[in-house]
Amino acid sequence: MSAVMMDGKALAAKVKEGVRNQVEAFRSRPGLAVVLVGDDPASRVYVNGKKKDCAECGIYSEEYHLPQEATQAQLLELVRTLNEREEMDGILVQLPLPAHLDEREVLLAIRPDKDVDCFHPFNVGQLMIGEQSFQPCTPAGVMRMLEEYGIDPAGKHCVVVGRSNIVGKPQAMLMLQKNATVTICHTRTRNLKEMCLQADILVAAAGRAGLITADMVKEGAVVVDVAMNRNEAGKLCGDVDPAAAQRASYMTPVPGGVGPMTRAMLMENTLTAARLHGKQ
Ligand code: NAP
């Protein structure tokens, strides 16, 4: 068997086109503020990508770039100002922040109805009880991709490798909402291979190149590789050995799988925020 490769790039383009069409019908334009602190090159690339996505979707965006040595008070003040600005439906503070800043306090300061990353504890709680306005972008992108390919998690055993607050845990929660039976694995899990071999849907989000070898994938399983690692040659790769495609029924490529979907979901969340603010 050779897996169907799930095309996140094409689907993300379709999602963004859908956002653009909806934006056109809004009474006033949705807006997204992107805050970047410091000069981390990877963060710069992500911020540029988000601005480009906004332009493509007809979403108004503003970028705020604070210097590396910005203080906690300056950053909090900026967030408070953006909280009050009606043009800005969403506020995204690009992570990671420089080490001297308190990430948690900053995320808490973002108004939950503008928290398009879905990192505020209020929104995390809403997700837990299934009443969320926003869904965290990466796990939401995974769910959308499964839907597009007609894969219903109901009754399936989903094994999520990774338990971070931004990927693993919310991914497990969204799978549960779709009636999957969920197992979460992490560094203290005993016999990861045995766990993975039980998965009808395997979501790899450990950030360890080569962690999931082909012999850890059940014949016919759906394999979603969230990770973005660099291999020894400096090439972008996931956690899953590409040879697993010989056993999987569906699989996501890296790059071109979950990454583009994450960006598209941010646009959808911005639209949701604008709806919350009565702009439709
Ligand atoms: P993270 O915060 O470092 O969390 C990694 C998780 O994987 C942890 O829970 C860790 O377990 C677990 N883990 C690490 N090594 C493991 C091992 N050998 N066996 C079992 N579990 C292991 O990372 P993250 O932010 O969730 O990101 C995960 C990956 O997804 C990264 O490659 C990141 O670049 C990628 N990512 C991609 C997107 C996208 O848009 N495609 C978005 C976000 C993240 P412990 O908790 O026990 O330490």
Side-chain angles (χ1 to χ4, degrees):
M1 185 192 287
S2 189
V4 172
M5 296 310 277
M6 295 189 268
D7 188 344
K9 212 171 153 193
L11 179 55
K14 190 168 134 185
V15 170
K16 285 193 279 182
E17 197 187 318
V19 170
R20 186 178 180 88
N21 291 337
Q22 292 174 71
V23 165
E24 277 164 12
F26 272 49
R27 280 187 285 114
S28 61
R29 239 174 134 193
L32 176 68
V34 184
V35 179
L36 174 65
V37 186
D39 305 307
D40 177 53
S43 293
R44 174 83 264 166
V45 170
Y46 291 137
V47 165
N48 287 347
K50 285 162 188 169
K51 280 163 45 187
K52 187 168 160 270
D53 290 338
C54 284
E56 278 176 32
C57 293
I59 290 172
Y60 173 68
S61 73
E62 285 182 6
E63 181 192 326
Y64 293 85
H65 188 186
L66 299 184
Q68 179 76 20
E69 59 281 5
T71 64
Q72 183 79 1
Q74 282 171 323
L75 181 53
L76 288 175
E77 185 51 37
L78 173 59
V79 169
R80 283 188 198 113
T81 307
L82 294 171
N83 276 342
E84 296 311 315
R85 288 203 36 218
E86 281 181 16
E87 310 92 300
M88 294 299 147
D89 297 294
I91 303 170
L92 185 143
V93 177
Q94 185 65 46
L95 303 178
L97 292 172
H100 67 281
L101 298 174
D102 179 351
E103 205 166 279
R104 190 175 151 72
E105 192 186 20
V106 173
L107 296 180
L108 267 170
I110 296 173
R111 241 170 61 181
D113 57 294
K114 296 193 174 192
D115 170 38
V116 284
D117 257 341
C118 196
F119 290 164
H120 191 288
F122 174 81
N123 287 324
V124 176
Q126 291 285 88
L127 182 68
M128 191 80 177
I129 56 177
E131 290 182 6
Q132 69 270 15
S133 301
F134 304 115
Q135 295 192 347
C137 299
T138 299
V142 170
M143 300 312 286
R144 178 62 67 84
M145 194 136 65
L146 295 184
E147 195 186 323
E148 178 74 10
Y149 282 86
I151 300 159
D152 181 3
K156 303 216 168 73
H157 185 190
C158 175
V159 176
V160 180
V161 184
R163 57 171 165 181
S164 72
N165 289 334
I166 64 166
V167 187
K169 282 186 211 162
Q171 187 69 75
M173 230 9 94
L174 291 181
M175 287 290 181
L176 192 59
Q177 281 185 15
K178 290 288 178 191
N179 300 310
T181 301
V182 183
T183 300
I184 306 176
C185 298
H186 45 80
T187 53
R188 305 292 289 272
T189 297
R190 289 186 196 148
N191 206 346
L192 184 66
K193 180 176 177 181
E194 209 169 87
M195 292 291 170
C196 290
L197 274 170
Q198 292 177 30
D200 301 310
I201 302 175
L202 178 62
V203 181
R208 300 280 179 276
L211 178 68
I212 312 290
T213 50
D215 62 352
M216 293 166 79
V217 173
K218 183 167 79 172
E219 200 71 43
V222 173
V223 179
V224 178
D225 197 345
V226 174
M228 289 195 296
N229 312 305
R230 296 264 167 204
N231 65 15
E232 284 147 20
K235 226 178 124 208
L236 206 58
C237 67
D239 287 347
V240 184
D241 181 346
Q246 294 311 312
R247 292 168 68 103
S249 54
Y250 292 85
M251 192 160 152
T252 58
V254 180
V258 178
M261 290 304 295
T262 297
R263 285 171 54 175
M265 292 299 120
L266 176 65
M267 298 297 102
E268 284 216 333
N269 277 352
T270 306
L271 214 61
T272 301
R275 282 203 186 91
L276 288 175
H277 301 140
K279 289 191 178 175
Q280 194 171 21

